[in-house]
Amino acid sequence: MTFTATCLTLYPEAFPGALGVSLLETARKNGIWALETVDIRSFSRHKHASVDDTPAGGGPGMVLRPDVAAAAIDSVELGSRPLIYMTPRGKPLTQARVREWAGGPGVVVFCGRFEGLDERVIEARQMEEVSIGDAVLAGGEIPAQYLIEACVRLIPGVLGKLASTEDESFEGDCLEYPHYTRPRVWEGREIPDVLLSGDHAKVERWRREKSEEITQRRRPDLWSRYQRRDGEER
């Protein structure tokens, strides 16, 4: 089964974008995963290929028309793939959700534009609304690439070592520990001695302590969840 990501967008030329470089592109060329785009505008029946209209009730901006959006969505064979709408009001994307999708047949991602998508389409097509953060962008193409890359890098064969995806931020509700490499001293700053000690137990303990310290300081929400989970395991 090949993981297939289908993106519905007004700007197919935005793809593959960041998905077309490095190991992700190599894996795509090797058939480990596939990327498709669907041009939403091609489903417009308006003589000027219009895809939007003014908001009902008034207000600034424009809204993507339900008939155009639904026609584009219905042209895609979903199968068991989730239909995802990238929007700031969606549920925050999590590593746990990404890992779940990465183990499936792929994702179908709708890239919004303007003020948003007519609510009736979201409801009628049971779209899952997802956000990548508390900020607003011009469109959903970059968030879609963000989500797809997060999934694809977890597919076996994409990255060199599976371990590189298991010991990083958000795996286990903790942020990742600091990393260092040569030279040993750079601008007067040294690599911590424990990392050069050769004592794997000490290195592991240091990394866990630093991971916990950073999580507690920067993400108290994750820290609370980590403490609860750690307490349950004990």
Side-chain angles (χ1 to χ4, degrees), residues 82-99:
L83 174 57
I84 302 164
Y85 173 43
M86 306 307 300
T87 168
R89 76 176 197 180
K91 291 183 178 179
L93 182 65
T94 65
Q95 188 68 10
R97 200 76 175 101
V98 165
R99 189 169 289 281

Side-chain angles (χ1 to χ4, degrees), residues 106-154:
V107 293
V108 178
V109 188
F110 190 99
C111 304
R113 281 275 162 175
F114 316 121
E115 292 301 310
L117 175 61
D118 190 297
E119 186 71 18
R120 292 169 293 180
V121 182
I122 299 171
E123 295 173 350
R125 296 300 182 268
Q126 298 181 313
M127 303 174 77
E128 181 171 348
E129 298 179 81
V130 175
S131 169
I132 64 167
D134 296 339
V136 180
L137 303 181
E141 286 73 22
I142 290 177
Q145 292 181 29
Y146 180 109
L147 181 149
I148 293 167
E149 178 170 336
C151 292
V152 169
R153 63 187 299 276
L154 296 181

Side-chain angles (χ1 to χ4, degrees), residues 100-219:
E100 179 183 338
W101 289 332
V107 293
V108 178
V109 188
F110 190 99
C111 304
R113 281 275 162 175
F114 316 121
E115 292 301 310
L117 175 61
D118 190 297
E119 186 71 18
R120 292 169 293 180
V121 182
I122 299 171
E123 295 173 350
R125 296 300 182 268
Q126 298 181 313
M127 303 174 77
E128 181 171 348
E129 298 179 81
V130 175
S131 169
I132 64 167
D134 296 339
V136 180
L137 303 181
E141 286 73 22
I142 290 177
Q145 292 181 29
Y146 180 109
L147 181 149
I148 293 167
E149 178 170 336
C151 292
V152 169
R153 63 187 299 276
L154 296 181
I155 299 172
V158 173
L159 299 186
K161 295 182 179 179
L162 183 60
S164 64
T165 68
E166 296 175 345
D167 192 17
E168 55 191 9
S169 291
F170 307 116
E171 296 292 349
D173 293 325
C174 256
L175 299 180
E176 196 170 12
Y177 49 79
H179 293 279
Y180 300 86
T181 189
R182 290 187 290 266
R184 180 167 183 165
V185 180
W186 175 78
E187 291 191 354
R189 299 170 183 266
E190 299 185 15
I191 295 175
D193 290 337
V194 64
L195 298 180
L196 304 173
S197 67
D199 189 323
H200 297 298
K202 286 184 178 179
V203 169
E204 184 64 29
R205 184 164 55 251
W206 180 90
R207 286 175 169 171
R208 173 167 179 162
E209 290 172 353
K210 287 298 180 181
S211 178
E212 292 177 342
E213 177 187 315
I214 292 171
T215 304
Q216 184 176 16
R217 185 173 67 251
R218 299 181 184 178
R219 291 291 302 273

